Amino acid sequence: RYVRMWAAMGYVVIAPDAMTSSSSRHRDPAGLFTIESDLDYWSKNLIYTSTTVGSSAYSTKSKSVLEDPIKYKDLYEKVFRERAALLGVILDRLPVFIKKRGVFLAGTSEGAMTVARYNDRRHGKMINGRIISAFSVEYC
């Protein structure tokens, strides 16, 4: 919802799809919508038509995490490394004028974990700020 709001306000928004580009988990994308598409703003999922499958697919149910905390710590770290690598590639490939003006990173849930923990060594000069939503800072 944030992405749609920011884009409507005129901001350039880049939203990498880690669920369709990952080698360890996957979801089927819904496809592109047009201005004529009937979309409910509060829909639970406008992006995907399937559940997540693959070795890194998970649901963070507290009972499961409590039963095997090491497994979930390792899983979160694997997901973070994969998403941080993708973010690095995107930042590397931005046009020079955007790199000079800088960017704000934003993320929700796993994206927030990535934004919060992303190392500034390579891209710190261009990161003007971070917007973090729905991240409980577990295992950091």
Side-chain angles (χ1 to χ4, degrees):
R1 292 183 185 107
Y2 292 118
V3 169
R4 292 169 72 184
M5 225 173 8
W6 294 328
M9 294 168 65
Y11 291 97
V12 174
V13 177
I14 300 169
D17 191 345
M19 288 294 181
T20 59
S21 63
S22 173
S23 60
S24 60
R25 59 190 179 156
H26 178 80
R27 290 182 85 174
D28 295 329
L32 298 176
F33 297 106
T34 67
I35 196 74
E36 292 83 20
S37 298
D38 183 23
L39 302 175
D40 178 5
Y41 180 80
W42 295 107
S43 174
K44 287 186 179 183
N45 192 350
L46 294 172
I47 309 297
Y48 304 106
T49 60
S50 70
T51 58
T52 308
V53 295
S55 61
S56 293
Y58 68 93
S59 172
T60 311
K61 294 180 180 165
S62 57
K63 181 180 178 190
S64 300
V65 174
L66 290 171
E67 288 173 356
D68 196 349
I70 301 301
K71 172 188 171 185
Y72 279 86
K73 182 177 182 175
D74 292 344
L75 181 60
Y76 290 167
E77 189 60 29
K78 180 180 179 182
V79 169
F80 166 72
R81 285 192 310 270
E82 185 175 301
R83 299 216 42 190
L86 178 60
L87 178 57
V89 168
I90 291 167
L91 292 173
D92 283 341
R93 294 180 179 179
L94 289 173
V96 173
F97 78 94
I98 291 178
K99 289 179 180 180
K100 286 182 180 178
R101 288 196 68 172
V103 298
F104 283 84
L105 303 179
T108 299
S109 191
E110 283 181 10
M113 173 181 62
T114 305
V115 168
R117 295 179 59 199
Y118 189 73
N119 191 319
D120 284 355
R121 264 182 262 152
R122 238 171 62 210
H123 301 104
K125 290 182 181 179
M126 79 167 89
I127 299 173
N128 293 329
R130 300 169 195 240
I131 301 168
I132 298 164
S133 171
F135 173 47
S136 62
V137 195
E138 57 214 353
Y139 298 123
C140 288

